[in-house]
Amino acid sequence: MIANTISVAAVRLFVIKYWFQLCLGGLAVFIFLRKDLSFSVSFRAPIDAPTNALPPNSKANTGLPPPKLAAKTGDVDKNILQAEATSEKASIFSWGDSKSETKPNSHQTANDGLSKAAKQAFVQRFLSIAQAESSKFKIPTSIILAQGILQTQAGENPLAETGNNFFKIRANSTWHGKTYRAKTGIYRAYPSAWASFRDHSEYITSGKFKNLVFSGTKNYTAWAAGLQANGFCKESDYANKLISIIESENLANYDN
């Protein structure tokens, strides 16, 4: 009994004397155990994340393809197949609003605000498509090219670059394809440049424009006057602008 009392007293005295060292030792043991536990948990975790994992906001997860740029000359066959495959399945879709309908050009001309280089590049890019459409629909090649140049600033308008609409044709109640929303209205959007040219050909050879076909494929002046008279564009000098582009760029040389 006396021995037990001495032992308890000795322990108490030891604790009182070395309490600070004991606390430090306990803290060290606690930290060591926590570190060891963390290492064990981390060791069991996968080393590498899946290679196909993508952030939630990644463009790859949006489900929408980026807008396609207009096709270049030589892509006609591919675009025909693409347009035929998607034309019947197209749904209403807005590409978004453009900040500006006209791109500024540092080398503008006085008559139509377009540089000669831009107009020549447009002709070189789409001449083969325009000639093919002319052969099929009896529209002057010069009219097709001049309208494309005038309507969308030689293809530099966002409507053409993003919506592949090279003739600024609006989307009315009969249009069931994709659309491009701009500040001036809602326009048709196409899967390719070729689809835009084909829709334009069908548009100006039917309905209120169908009588223009009898003007012939060389009479660009009659076509220009007819397009204006039938309301293709509300500008009072629309025909003169088309004729000016045709004659300044010698586009009549390409007419059949």
Side-chain angles (χ1 to χ4, degrees), residues 70-116:
K72 296 182 179 180
T73 302
D75 290 342
V76 179
D77 293 339
K78 182 177 71 174
N79 288 328
I80 290 175
L81 295 176
Q82 180 183 14
E84 290 178 348
T86 59
S87 60
E88 294 183 358
K89 299 180 180 179
S91 59
I92 301 298
F93 178 77
S94 173
W95 287 107
D97 185 40
S98 66
K99 295 182 179 179
S100 173
E101 293 229 16
T102 306
K103 272 193 172 183
N105 195 309
S106 58
H107 303 287
Q108 293 180 336
T109 57
N111 57 345
D112 53 27
L114 298 172
S115 70
K116 192 171 186 66

Short mmCIF file of all heavy atoms in Angstrom, two decimals, residues 70-116:
data_model
loop_
_atom_site.label_atom_id
_atom_site.label_comp_id
_atom_site.label_asym_id
_atom_site.label_seq_id
_atom_site.Cartn_x
_atom_site.Cartn_y
_atom_site.Cartn_z
N ALA A 70 -16.52 29.92 -95.61
CA ALA A 70 -16.98 29.67 -96.97
C ALA A 70 -15.98 28.81 -97.71
O ALA A 70 -14.78 28.87 -97.49
CB ALA A 70 -17.15 31.00 -97.70
N ALA A 71 -16.49 27.97 -98.60
CA ALA A 71 -15.63 27.07 -99.33
C ALA A 71 -14.84 27.81 -100.39
O ALA A 71 -15.28 28.83 -100.91
CB ALA A 71 -16.47 25.98 -100.01
N LYS A 72 -13.67 27.33 -100.67
CA LYS A 72 -12.85 27.93 -101.71
C LYS A 72 -13.07 27.18 -103.03
O LYS A 72 -13.61 26.09 -103.07
CB LYS A 72 -11.37 27.87 -101.31
CG LYS A 72 -11.06 28.69 -100.08
CD LYS A 72 -9.59 28.64 -99.77
CE LYS A 72 -9.27 29.49 -98.54
NZ LYS A 72 -7.84 29.46 -98.20
N THR A 73 -12.66 27.83 -104.12
CA THR A 73 -12.78 27.23 -105.43
C THR A 73 -12.06 25.88 -105.43
O THR A 73 -10.94 25.76 -104.96
CB THR A 73 -12.16 28.14 -106.50
OG1 THR A 73 -12.82 29.40 -106.44
CG2 THR A 73 -12.32 27.55 -107.88
N GLY A 74 -12.70 24.87 -105.97
CA GLY A 74 -12.13 23.53 -105.97
C GLY A 74 -12.81 22.63 -104.97
O GLY A 74 -12.64 21.42 -105.00
N ASP A 75 -13.61 23.20 -104.07
CA ASP A 75 -14.32 22.41 -103.07
C ASP A 75 -15.76 22.14 -103.48
O ASP A 75 -16.57 21.71 -102.69
CB ASP A 75 -14.34 23.14 -101.72
CG ASP A 75 -12.97 23.18 -101.10
OD1 ASP A 75 -12.12 22.38 -101.51
OD2 ASP A 75 -12.74 24.03 -100.22
N VAL A 76 -16.10 22.38 -104.75
CA VAL A 76 -17.49 22.30 -105.17
C VAL A 76 -18.05 20.91 -104.96
O VAL A 76 -19.13 20.73 -104.40
CB VAL A 76 -17.62 22.69 -106.66
CG1 VAL A 76 -19.07 22.58 -107.10
CG2 VAL A 76 -17.11 24.10 -106.87
N ASP A 77 -17.31 19.87 -105.37
CA ASP A 77 -17.84 18.52 -105.25
C ASP A 77 -18.10 18.15 -103.80
O ASP A 77 -19.14 17.56 -103.46
CB ASP A 77 -16.86 17.52 -105.87
CG ASP A 77 -16.77 17.72 -107.39
OD1 ASP A 77 -17.71 18.31 -107.96
OD2 ASP A 77 -15.77 17.27 -107.96
N LYS A 78 -17.15 18.45 -102.92
CA LYS A 78 -17.32 18.14 -101.49
C LYS A 78 -18.49 18.89 -100.91
O LYS A 78 -19.27 18.37 -100.13
CB LYS A 78 -16.03 18.48 -100.74
CG LYS A 78 -16.11 18.14 -99.25
CD LYS A 78 -14.80 18.44 -98.56
CE LYS A 78 -14.57 19.93 -98.46
NZ LYS A 78 -13.36 20.26 -97.66
N ASN A 79 -18.64 20.15 -101.30
CA ASN A 79 -19.74 20.97 -100.78
C ASN A 79 -21.09 20.50 -101.29
O ASN A 79 -22.10 20.58 -100.58
CB ASN A 79 -19.53 22.43 -101.16
CG ASN A 79 -18.41 23.06 -100.36
OD1 ASN A 79 -18.18 22.68 -99.22
ND2 ASN A 79 -17.71 24.01 -100.95
N ILE A 80 -21.14 20.00 -102.52
CA ILE A 80 -22.39 19.48 -103.05
C ILE A 80 -22.86 18.30 -102.21
O ILE A 80 -24.01 18.21 -101.81
CB ILE A 80 -22.21 19.05 -104.52
CG1 ILE A 80 -22.03 20.29 -105.41
CG2 ILE A 80 -23.41 18.23 -104.99
CD1 ILE A 80 -21.74 19.96 -106.85
N LEU A 81 -21.93 17.39 -101.92
CA LEU A 81 -22.29 16.23 -101.10
C LEU A 81 -22.71 16.65 -99.71
O LEU A 81 -23.67 16.13 -99.14
CB LEU A 81 -21.09 15.28 -101.02
CG LEU A 81 -20.66 14.64 -102.34
CD1 LEU A 81 -19.40 13.80 -102.13
CD2 LEU A 81 -21.77 13.78 -102.91
N GLN A 82 -22.00 17.61 -99.14
CA GLN A 82 -22.31 18.07 -97.79
C GLN A 82 -23.68 18.74 -97.75
O GLN A 82 -24.48 18.51 -96.85
CB GLN A 82 -21.25 19.05 -97.31
CG GLN A 82 -21.51 19.58 -95.91
CD GLN A 82 -20.46 20.60 -95.51
OE1 GLN A 82 -19.71 21.08 -96.34
NE2 GLN A 82 -20.42 20.94 -94.24
N ALA A 83 -23.95 19.59 -98.75
CA ALA A 83 -25.22 20.31 -98.77
C ALA A 83 -26.39 19.36 -98.97
O ALA A 83 -27.43 19.48 -98.33
CB ALA A 83 -25.21 21.36 -99.89
N GLU A 84 -26.23 18.37 -99.85
CA GLU A 84 -27.31 17.42 -100.09
C GLU A 84 -27.58 16.57 -98.86
O GLU A 84 -28.71 16.18 -98.58
CB GLU A 84 -26.94 16.52 -101.27
CG GLU A 84 -26.96 17.26 -102.61
CD GLU A 84 -26.55 16.36 -103.74
OE1 GLU A 84 -26.05 15.25 -103.46
OE2 GLU A 84 -26.72 16.76 -104.91
N ALA A 85 -26.52 16.28 -98.09
CA ALA A 85 -26.69 15.43 -96.91
C ALA A 85 -27.35 16.16 -95.76
O ALA A 85 -27.98 15.56 -94.91
CB ALA A 85 -25.32 14.90 -96.46
N THR A 86 -27.21 17.50 -95.73
CA THR A 86 -27.71 18.24 -94.56
C THR A 86 -28.89 19.14 -94.85
O THR A 86 -29.52 19.62 -93.92
CB THR A 86 -26.58 19.12 -93.99
OG1 THR A 86 -26.13 20.02 -95.01
CG2 THR A 86 -25.42 18.27 -93.50
N SER A 87 -29.21 19.39 -96.12
CA SER A 87 -30.24 20.37 -96.45
C SER A 87 -31.60 20.00 -95.88
O SER A 87 -32.34 20.85 -95.40
CB SER A 87 -30.33 20.55 -97.97
OG SER A 87 -30.67 19.31 -98.58
N GLU A 88 -31.98 18.72 -95.93
CA GLU A 88 -33.30 18.32 -95.47
C GLU A 88 -33.36 18.20 -93.95
O GLU A 88 -34.44 18.17 -93.37
CB GLU A 88 -33.68 16.98 -96.10
CG GLU A 88 -33.86 17.06 -97.60
CD GLU A 88 -34.30 15.74 -98.20
OE1 GLU A 88 -34.42 14.76 -97.44
OE2 GLU A 88 -34.52 15.70 -99.41
N LYS A 89 -32.22 18.11 -93.28
CA LYS A 89 -32.19 17.93 -91.84
C LYS A 89 -31.86 19.22 -91.10
O LYS A 89 -31.72 19.22 -89.89
CB LYS A 89 -31.16 16.86 -91.47
CG LYS A 89 -31.47 15.49 -92.07
CD LYS A 89 -30.42 14.47 -91.66
CE LYS A 89 -30.71 13.11 -92.26
NZ LYS A 89 -29.67 12.12 -91.88
N ALA A 90 -31.72 20.32 -91.84
CA ALA A 90 -31.34 21.59 -91.20
C ALA A 90 -32.46 22.06 -90.28
O ALA A 90 -33.63 21.87 -90.53
CB ALA A 90 -31.07 22.64 -92.27
N SER A 91 -32.06 22.67 -89.18
CA SER A 91 -33.03 23.18 -88.22
C SER A 91 -32.79 24.66 -87.99
O SER A 91 -31.76 25.20 -88.36
CB SER A 91 -32.89 22.43 -86.89
OG SER A 91 -31.60 22.58 -86.37
N ILE A 92 -33.77 25.34 -87.38
CA ILE A 92 -33.61 26.76 -87.10
C ILE A 92 -32.50 26.94 -86.06
O ILE A 92 -32.53 26.36 -84.99
CB ILE A 92 -34.93 27.35 -86.56
CG1 ILE A 92 -36.03 27.13 -87.60
CG2 ILE A 92 -34.77 28.82 -86.26
CD1 ILE A 92 -35.80 27.81 -88.93
N PHE A 93 -31.54 27.76 -86.40
CA PHE A 93 -30.42 27.98 -85.49
C PHE A 93 -29.82 29.34 -85.76
O PHE A 93 -29.65 29.73 -86.90
CB PHE A 93 -29.35 26.90 -85.68
CG PHE A 93 -28.14 27.09 -84.82
CD1 PHE A 93 -28.18 26.76 -83.48
CD2 PHE A 93 -26.97 27.59 -85.34
CE1 PHE A 93 -27.06 26.94 -82.68
CE2 PHE A 93 -25.86 27.77 -84.54
CZ PHE A 93 -25.92 27.44 -83.22
N SER A 94 -29.54 30.09 -84.73
CA SER A 94 -28.96 31.42 -84.90
C SER A 94 -27.47 31.36 -84.64
O SER A 94 -27.02 30.85 -83.62
CB SER A 94 -29.61 32.41 -83.93
OG SER A 94 -28.95 33.64 -83.99
N TRP A 95 -26.70 31.90 -85.58
CA TRP A 95 -25.26 31.95 -85.40
C TRP A 95 -24.86 33.07 -84.44
O TRP A 95 -23.72 33.16 -84.04
CB TRP A 95 -24.58 32.22 -86.75
CG TRP A 95 -24.59 31.04 -87.66
CD1 TRP A 95 -25.34 30.89 -88.79
CD2 TRP A 95 -23.82 29.85 -87.55
NE1 TRP A 95 -25.09 29.69 -89.37
CE2 TRP A 95 -24.16 29.03 -88.64
CE3 TRP A 95 -22.87 29.39 -86.64
CZ2 TRP A 95 -23.58 27.78 -88.85
CZ3 TRP A 95 -22.30 28.16 -86.85
CH2 TRP A 95 -22.66 27.36 -87.93
N GLY A 96 -25.77 33.95 -84.11
CA GLY A 96 -25.44 35.06 -83.22
C GLY A 96 -25.45 36.38 -83.94
O GLY A 96 -25.54 36.45 -85.16
N ASP A 97 -25.34 37.43 -83.19
CA ASP A 97 -25.42 38.78 -83.73
C ASP A 97 -24.04 39.29 -84.10
O ASP A 97 -23.08 39.12 -83.37
CB ASP A 97 -26.05 39.72 -82.68
CG ASP A 97 -26.27 41.11 -83.25
OD1 ASP A 97 -26.69 41.20 -84.40
OD2 ASP A 97 -26.02 42.08 -82.51
N SER A 98 -23.92 39.91 -85.24
CA SER A 98 -22.63 40.45 -85.66
C SER A 98 -22.51 41.89 -85.18
O SER A 98 -23.48 42.63 -85.15
CB SER A 98 -22.51 40.40 -87.20
OG SER A 98 -23.45 41.27 -87.78
N LYS A 99 -21.31 42.26 -84.80
CA LYS A 99 -21.07 43.62 -84.31
C LYS A 99 -21.11 44.63 -85.46
O LYS A 99 -21.46 45.77 -85.28
CB LYS A 99 -19.72 43.69 -83.59
CG LYS A 99 -19.69 42.85 -82.32
CD LYS A 99 -18.35 42.99 -81.64
CE LYS A 99 -18.29 42.17 -80.36
NZ LYS A 99 -16.98 42.28 -79.70
N SER A 100 -20.70 44.18 -86.62
CA SER A 100 -20.68 45.10 -87.76
C SER A 100 -21.02 44.33 -89.01
O SER A 100 -20.54 43.23 -89.21
CB SER A 100 -19.29 45.73 -87.90
OG SER A 100 -19.21 46.49 -89.08
N GLU A 101 -21.82 44.91 -89.87
CA GLU A 101 -22.20 44.23 -91.10
C GLU A 101 -21.23 44.51 -92.22
O GLU A 101 -21.29 43.92 -93.27
CB GLU A 101 -23.60 44.68 -91.51
CG GLU A 101 -24.65 44.22 -90.54
CD GLU A 101 -25.81 43.57 -91.24
OE1 GLU A 101 -25.67 43.21 -92.41
OE2 GLU A 101 -26.84 43.43 -90.62
N THR A 102 -20.30 45.43 -92.01
CA THR A 102 -19.33 45.76 -93.05
C THR A 102 -17.95 45.85 -92.44
O THR A 102 -17.75 46.55 -91.46
CB THR A 102 -19.67 47.11 -93.72
OG1 THR A 102 -21.02 47.08 -94.17
CG2 THR A 102 -18.74 47.38 -94.87
N LYS A 103 -17.02 45.14 -93.03
CA LYS A 103 -15.65 45.21 -92.54
C LYS A 103 -14.95 46.44 -93.12
O LYS A 103 -15.04 46.71 -94.31
CB LYS A 103 -14.88 43.95 -92.95
CG LYS A 103 -15.02 42.81 -91.98
CD LYS A 103 -13.99 41.77 -92.30
CE LYS A 103 -13.94 40.69 -91.25
NZ LYS A 103 -12.88 39.71 -91.55
N PRO A 104 -14.23 47.19 -92.30
CA PRO A 104 -13.49 48.33 -92.84
C PRO A 104 -12.35 47.86 -93.72
O PRO A 104 -11.75 46.83 -93.47
CB PRO A 104 -12.96 49.02 -91.57
CG PRO A 104 -12.92 47.94 -90.54
CD PRO A 104 -14.07 47.03 -90.86
N ASN A 105 -12.05 48.61 -94.75
CA ASN A 105 -10.99 48.24 -95.67
C ASN A 105 -10.11 49.46 -95.89
O ASN A 105 -10.60 50.54 -96.21
CB ASN A 105 -11.58 47.77 -97.00
CG ASN A 105 -10.55 47.05 -97.85
OD1 ASN A 105 -9.46 47.56 -98.07
ND2 ASN A 105 -10.90 45.87 -98.32
N SER A 106 -8.83 49.29 -95.71
CA SER A 106 -7.92 50.43 -95.80
C SER A 106 -7.63 50.84 -97.24
O SER A 106 -7.00 51.86 -97.47
CB SER A 106 -6.60 50.09 -95.09
OG SER A 106 -6.01 48.94 -95.67
N HIS A 107 -8.07 50.02 -98.22
CA HIS A 107 -7.81 50.34 -99.62
C HIS A 107 -9.13 50.43 -100.38
O HIS A 107 -9.33 49.78 -101.40
CB HIS A 107 -6.90 49.28 -100.25
CG HIS A 107 -5.61 49.11 -99.52
ND1 HIS A 107 -4.60 50.04 -99.57
CD2 HIS A 107 -5.17 48.13 -98.69
CE1 HIS A 107 -3.57 49.63 -98.83
NE2 HIS A 107 -3.90 48.49 -98.27
N GLN A 108 -10.06 51.21 -99.90
CA GLN A 108 -11.36 51.30 -100.50
C GLN A 108 -11.35 52.17 -101.76
O GLN A 108 -10.57 53.10 -101.89
CB GLN A 108 -12.38 51.87 -99.50
CG GLN A 108 -12.63 50.93 -98.32
CD GLN A 108 -13.62 51.53 -97.35
OE1 GLN A 108 -13.78 52.73 -97.29
NE2 GLN A 108 -14.29 50.68 -96.60
N THR A 109 -12.27 51.82 -102.68
CA THR A 109 -12.43 52.62 -103.88
C THR A 109 -13.58 53.59 -103.67
O THR A 109 -14.37 53.45 -102.75
CB THR A 109 -12.73 51.71 -105.09
OG1 THR A 109 -13.90 50.94 -104.80
CG2 THR A 109 -11.58 50.76 -105.35
N ALA A 110 -13.69 54.57 -104.54
CA ALA A 110 -14.68 55.63 -104.35
C ALA A 110 -16.09 55.20 -104.71
O ALA A 110 -17.06 55.70 -104.15
CB ALA A 110 -14.28 56.84 -105.18
N ASN A 111 -16.27 54.26 -105.64
CA ASN A 111 -17.61 53.97 -106.14
C ASN A 111 -18.39 52.99 -105.26
O ASN A 111 -19.57 53.23 -104.97
CB ASN A 111 -17.54 53.44 -107.58
CG ASN A 111 -16.65 52.22 -107.71
OD1 ASN A 111 -15.87 51.93 -106.81
ND2 ASN A 111 -16.74 51.53 -108.83
N ASP A 112 -17.81 51.91 -104.85
CA ASP A 112 -18.57 50.92 -104.08
C ASP A 112 -17.95 50.61 -102.72
O ASP A 112 -18.42 49.74 -102.00
CB ASP A 112 -18.74 49.62 -104.89
CG ASP A 112 -17.41 49.08 -105.40
OD1 ASP A 112 -16.37 49.35 -104.76
OD2 ASP A 112 -17.39 48.41 -106.43
N GLY A 113 -16.89 51.31 -102.35
CA GLY A 113 -16.29 51.10 -101.04
C GLY A 113 -15.49 49.83 -100.91
O GLY A 113 -15.14 49.42 -99.81
N LEU A 114 -15.18 49.15 -102.01
CA LEU A 114 -14.44 47.90 -101.97
C LEU A 114 -13.13 48.04 -102.74
O LEU A 114 -13.07 48.73 -103.77
CB LEU A 114 -15.27 46.77 -102.59
CG LEU A 114 -16.58 46.42 -101.90
CD1 LEU A 114 -17.37 45.43 -102.73
CD2 LEU A 114 -16.32 45.87 -100.51
N SER A 115 -12.11 47.40 -102.25
CA SER A 115 -10.83 47.44 -102.96
C SER A 115 -10.89 46.53 -104.17
O SER A 115 -11.62 45.53 -104.21
CB SER A 115 -9.70 46.98 -102.03
OG SER A 115 -9.81 45.60 -101.77
N LYS A 116 -10.15 46.88 -105.17
CA LYS A 116 -10.10 46.06 -106.39
C LYS A 116 -9.53 44.68 -106.08
O LYS A 116 -9.98 43.67 -106.65
CB LYS A 116 -9.25 46.76 -107.45
CG LYS A 116 -9.38 46.14 -108.84
CD LYS A 116 -8.70 47.01 -109.87
CE LYS A 116 -8.95 46.46 -111.28
NZ LYS A 116 -10.36 46.55 -111.67
#
